Amino acid sequence: MIRKPRTSADPDVSVVIPTVPANDHDAVVDALREGTVEEFEVLVVDDADLDICEARNAGIEAATADIVALTDDDCRPPPEWLARVRDALAGDVVCVEGRVEGGRTYRGTGLYVGCNLAVDRETALAAGGFRSAYAGWRDDTEFGWRMEDRGPCRYDNEMVMVHPDLPRASIDDEKEARLRREYPRRYEERIVPDTALGRVNDWLWRRGFWDAVDRVRYAGGNS
């Protein structure tokens, strides 16, 4: 089911938010309404029967603006986010990834974090959208790498999204191996050499290691 809590006769940007009925998405929509761009629409794809890739694709297909911005139901866009999205996707640029702050941080290494992406709608559709084979792990990275084959893609440090909570995704070793197999050069260039330590820390964090360390470190901290 696709709902449009915000509509516009001629939107500059269409915002696609995949979600499921169990998750709250009102806060992210409220944050978008407080932004500086007046002409935009919001498409909330609220369907538990769709995986995240199918939900994003459904939103992109239903969007009416040439520019589609992607974020998640647990994010909080700053007031200037949509304006930056609109300005960043200018000329022949087909995909822009932005900075992420909060419970998750990202500084732009060509991995295309799905909570802060802007795409040219027609190019995204021509690329085939998001692939369900990667749903839940690396689906955004794989999509971004295919968009690179369609036109210029770039990182915009001023296109900021706030992700207050820790990511819900879990590492999927099979999908990770598939990405490496299908995109060996980009995988070796972007994921292996420069982020090896970060990936180890991320792996440990997602499995609760650092939470356990913190519990030990701060046990009895008020005594």
Side-chain angles (χ1 to χ4, degrees), residues 76-135:
R76 300 295 178 266
E80 66 279 5
W81 182 64
L82 278 179
R84 194 66 193 181
V85 165
R86 181 191 58 199
D87 296 342
L89 208 70
D92 60 351
V93 175
V94 299
C95 182
V96 179
E97 57 173 349
R99 178 159 53 100
V100 180
E101 300 288 353
R104 173 170 193 174
T105 59
Y106 179 72
R107 296 293 183 275
T109 52
L111 300 184
Y112 302 97
V113 174
C115 69
N116 193 11
L117 277 181
V119 299
D120 175 78
R121 178 178 177 272
E122 291 301 322
T123 305
L125 292 173
F130 290 79
R131 291 174 62 191
S132 290
Y134 286 94

Side-chain angles (χ1 to χ4, degrees), residues 135-157:
W137 185 250
R138 298 293 193 193
D139 48 88
D140 42 10
T141 299
E142 195 274 338
F143 168 75
W145 288 358
R146 280 187 288 111
M147 290 292 284
E148 290 179 350
D149 296 332
R150 297 276 175 169
C153 299
R154 69 183 188 87
Y155 169 73
D156 189 330
N157 193 59

